[in-house]
């Protein structure tokens, strides 16, 4: 009868740490994403979530587009969770190595699934990266991180597809082709641009996606396609999402989560009475969106900490 193999030891004689399987890491990330889906259906009814998802999928997603302001909190969380679950499935099917970069990529998908990325606009870019891997005759697992990091350009797909200046017969194929081309060139562009900063940029794909996005937008602007600015931002959900108060400096929360009461750093005065907050959902008017002074004036009117509001 053969004895079981002993665990490998390092040079100091201590047993080597056990490797965590890729499936376990992927399962943990999937649990986080499933929690978002569950929370979405907890705070909203299924019909409201469905209507919100339709609104999210059919909206333009250029900055700044808050999905809570478009489809509601429930639909925003469900969109982020389902998108991350789909990404986990892609990683599982590709048999990708779940290293630190892969985990960071999936959590970025989860975070930006609340504004910018949705269940519709990321797949043309992912497919473009897959086509590049097929062209190079390389496994897609080596490029899957590039595919989902490069999904930072996904709002371009929605901007073209739901443009009011183009018909659907033109915008649909144009959006798909643009996404495929961007995905196809992301991997080689990232490899070449790494030499530009010699590793001093910790987010190489963000640098690459930014340059590719500048080129794409400049190209479309040269043909007269100028996207309109978007500003959709919601506030006032602090109690539901985390129970924090409007005072970000002292992290004070009033009894009963009402947002009122004496602030420890506010010299006995009510934090909510001194901090003026923007309305629940704010959309800047067309004239104000064109003026760069509008944002500065808004920020000066809305202090966010006791130290900035106290006199």
């Amino acid at each position: 009868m053969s004895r079981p193999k002993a665990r490998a030891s390092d040079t100091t004689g201590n047993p080597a740490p056990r490797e965590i399987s890729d499936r376990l890491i992927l399962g943990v990330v999937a649990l986080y994403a499933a929690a978002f889906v569950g929370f979405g259906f907890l705070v909203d009814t299924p019909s409201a979530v469905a209507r919100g998802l339709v609104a999210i999928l059919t909206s333009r997603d250029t900055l700044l587009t808050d999905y809570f302001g478009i489809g509601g909190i429930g639909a925003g969380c469900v969109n982020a969770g389902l998108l991350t679950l789909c990404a986990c499935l892609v990683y599982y099917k590709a048999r990708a190595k779940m290293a630190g970069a892969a985990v960071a990529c999936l959590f970025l998908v989860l975070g930006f699934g609340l504004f910018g990325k949705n269940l519709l606009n990321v797949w043309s870019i992912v497919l473009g990266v897959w086509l590049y891997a097929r062209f190079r005759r390389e496994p897609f697992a080596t490029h899957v991180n590039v595919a989902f990091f490069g999904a930072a350009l996904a709002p371009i797909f929605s901007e073209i597809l739901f443009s009011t200046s183009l018909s659907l017969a033109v915008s649909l194929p144009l959006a798909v082709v643009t996404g495929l081309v961007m995905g196809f060139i992301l991997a080689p562009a990232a490899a070449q641009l790494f030499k530009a900063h010699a590793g001093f940029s910790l987010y190489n794909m963000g640098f690459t996606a930014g340059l590719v996005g500048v080129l794409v937008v400049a190209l479309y602007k040269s043909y007269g396609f100028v996207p309109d600015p978007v500003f959709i931002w919601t506030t006032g959900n602090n109690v539901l999402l985390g129970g924090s108060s409007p005072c970000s400096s002292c992290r004070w929360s009033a009894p009963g989560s009402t947002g009122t009461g004496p602030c420890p750093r506010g010299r006995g005065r009510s934090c909510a009475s001194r901090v003026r907050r923007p309305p629940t959902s704010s959309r800047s008017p067309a004239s104000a969106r064109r003026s760069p002074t509008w944002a500065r004036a808004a920020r000066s009117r809305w202090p966010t900490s006791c130290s900035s509001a106290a006199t």
Side-chain angles (χ1 to χ4, degrees), residues 9-176:
S9 301
D10 56 16
T11 56
T12 62
N14 297 323
R18 293 180 179 178
E19 292 185 1
I20 301 177
S21 66
D22 293 338
R23 288 189 177 183
L24 178 60
I25 298 175
L26 201 57
V28 172
V29 178
L31 282 177
Y32 272 95
F36 269 67
V37 177
F39 178 77
F41 283 108
L42 184 65
V43 299
D44 269 337
T45 62
S47 59
V49 169
R51 290 192 301 269
L53 282 177
V54 172
I56 288 172
L57 297 182
T58 57
S59 66
R60 297 167 52 226
D61 296 319
T62 52
L63 290 177
L64 185 61
T65 303
D66 182 2
Y67 285 164
F68 285 179
I70 293 179
I73 295 177
C77 291
V78 170
N79 173 75
L82 289 180
L83 180 59
T84 308
L85 288 175
C86 292
C88 290
L89 181 61
V90 173
Y91 272 80
Y92 176 77
K93 291 294 184 181
R95 298 180 180 179
K97 179 67 177 176
M98 292 303 298
V103 176
C105 182
L106 288 173
F107 275 108
L108 278 176
V109 171
L110 181 63
F112 286 101
L114 298 175
F115 63 100
K117 299 178 183 178
N118 58 48
L119 292 164
L120 176 65
N121 60 13
V122 303
W123 301 115
S124 62
I125 296 176
V126 175
L127 183 58
V129 177
W130 179 83
L131 290 176
Y132 175 79
R134 295 282 293 181
F135 173 75
R136 296 282 298 178
R137 296 183 180 180
E138 297 173 350
F140 181 57
T142 61
H143 299 287
V144 66
N145 287 341
V146 174
F148 285 100
F149 276 131
L153 296 172
I156 295 179
F157 177 91
S158 297
E159 181 66 31
I160 298 174
L161 180 60
F162 300 112
S163 172
T164 57
S165 60
L166 299 174
S167 63
L168 185 61
V170 176
S171 63
L172 179 58
L174 187 60
V176 172

